[in-house]
Amino acid sequence: MFDKQLSILDTDNNLSNEFCKVIQNFNKINIQEIKPTIKNINNYIFEGDFNIVIDELSNLIFNKLNKGEDTNTIKKLVLDYINNQMTTLQEIYIWLLNNQNNSNSLCLLGYFNYHGLEIELDKQIAIELYQKAAESENRLAQSNLANEYIYGKKNYNLAFKLSKKLAGNYAYGMNNLGFCYEKGIGTNYDEEKAFELYQKAANLGNFDAINNLGWCNYEGIGTDINEEKTFELYQKAANLGNLNGTCNLGWYYCEGIGTEAC
């Protein structure tokens, strides 16, 4: 079975103190000293246009993440968006290198490094950039960090606190927080709370949360075991394009669980 679950800082002194500890070695980071720059950017693209592109790209990534889209789908959408603009991936990257004065630029430069777009993949630099952007309460940076703190460079306390902050407004955060409660990440195990949060995120249309609800109904996590309901949820997630839902639905068909076997 597949069990993939995921993800705005408010004023929170404890969380701020933890962030300070995490980033204390990176306060003076200057990516321009690490990576080369090129000056001949398309003359048809003006400064205001690049700022718009950066903001729209950041919103695109976050909105798709909030829906539960998988990483590869989001990356393709990013590349498609750039191809539809009067610019190139290289020009966007150059602009980001030379304009690190706002949180969206920092976060997007981190995204380029994390996924190896127009640059050799460097997750360490990406995380440092996400951390700096998160200090400015950048929701995308915080979401990326929550994911990294759960699955990559683990920091379960921050993973829980970031997820809890994001859960106040976003389905991605609700789903993340549900996962934290289900697995005891940075908090005590609470299956009922996990189920409740998955339900809230699913009601907002988060694909992963719909799939996770199916898992809860299959295993009896915070609810009674209900194979028919599990089948319905996996089918719904699969119809929305969720890869885990599709895989789980295929497994259900093969085993004849909640439906007739193929």
Side-chain angles (χ1 to χ4, degrees):
M1 292 291 292
F2 291 79
D3 185 19
K4 177 188 175 186
Q5 294 114 152
L6 265 187
S7 39
I8 300 287
L9 284 178
D10 300 320
T11 301
D12 185 320
N13 291 332
N14 292 331
L15 182 53
S16 297
N17 289 337
E18 290 200 52
F19 263 113
C20 289
K21 293 177 183 177
V22 173
I23 66 168
Q24 60 185 347
N25 294 324
F26 308 128
N27 284 336
K28 296 182 179 179
I29 184 173
N30 187 339
I31 302 303
Q32 295 183 40
E33 295 177 357
I34 302 172
K35 307 295 182 184
T37 61
I38 304 174
K39 295 181 179 179
N40 54 335
I41 293 179
N42 191 334
N43 292 328
Y44 294 102
I45 303 298
F46 301 100
E47 180 175 341
D49 296 322
F50 273 110
N51 287 330
I52 292 171
V53 168
I54 298 310
D55 289 344
E56 288 185 347
L57 274 173
S58 298
N59 288 332
L60 170 66
I61 296 169
F62 180 80
N63 289 336
K64 294 302 179 181
L65 189 66
N66 199 39
K67 276 289 186 183
E69 293 280 9
D70 68 273
T71 299
N72 290 330
T73 297
I74 295 175
K75 186 161 65 173
K76 182 181 183 302
L77 291 171
V78 167
L79 295 175
D80 288 344
Y81 173 89
I82 292 173
N83 287 335
N84 289 331
Q85 307 304 308
M86 291 178 58
T87 187
T88 66
L89 187 64
Q90 183 187 60
E91 288 175 338
I92 295 293
Y93 174 67
I94 295 168
W95 175 260
L96 292 171
L97 282 174
N98 290 280
N99 293 273
Q100 300 169 41
N101 55 353
N102 67 70
S103 64
N104 277 342
S105 294
L106 285 169
C107 186
L108 198 58
L109 184 57
Y111 185 87
F112 273 50
N113 277 271
Y114 195 92
H115 296 284
L117 299 180
E118 199 57 36
I119 185 67
E120 184 178 349
L121 187 150
D122 192 332
K123 290 189 176 182
Q124 182 58 42
I125 291 295
I127 292 168
E128 293 166 12
L129 287 161
Y130 288 157
Q131 288 166 343
K132 288 179 70 67
E135 285 189 288
S136 299
E137 301 186 2
N138 185 285
R139 60 185 184 175
L140 177 57
Q142 292 163 6
S143 299
N144 289 336
L145 281 178
N147 179 57
E148 184 65 26
Y149 290 152
I150 291 172
Y151 293 105
K153 292 183 176 294
K154 295 179 173 60
N155 186 327
Y156 287 163
N157 288 332
L158 279 177
F160 175 76
K161 290 181 178 180
L162 283 168
S163 298
K164 188 174 182 179
K165 294 295 182 181
L166 289 163
N169 296 290
Y170 305 110
Y172 181 83
M174 295 172 193
N175 187 54
N176 251 17
L177 189 58
F179 180 68
C180 289
Y181 278 114
E182 181 190 345
K183 302 299 183 182
I185 294 176
T187 188
N188 295 325
Y189 291 93
D190 190 332
E191 293 186 348
E192 288 74 20
K193 188 69 173 178
F195 180 82
E196 176 187 337
L197 286 160
Y198 289 150
Q199 185 68 68
K200 286 182 178 180
N203 290 342
L204 292 174
N206 184 277
F207 308 160
D208 277 334
I210 295 169
N211 180 66
N212 294 339
L213 275 181
W215 177 250
C216 288
N217 278 275
Y218 177 75
E219 288 287 336
I221 298 171
T223 188
D224 295 330
I225 292 175
N226 187 329
E227 292 181 348
E228 288 73 21
K229 184 66 174 177
T230 298
F231 177 81
E232 292 174 8
L233 288 162
Y234 284 159
Q235 188 169 55
K236 183 177 181 179
N239 289 341
L240 290 169
N242 181 265
L243 296 180
N244 290 295
T246 301
C247 291
N248 289 335
L249 183 63
W251 184 81
Y252 250 49
Y253 271 117
C254 288
E255 298 296 325
I257 304 172
T259 186
E260 294 183 4
C262 294

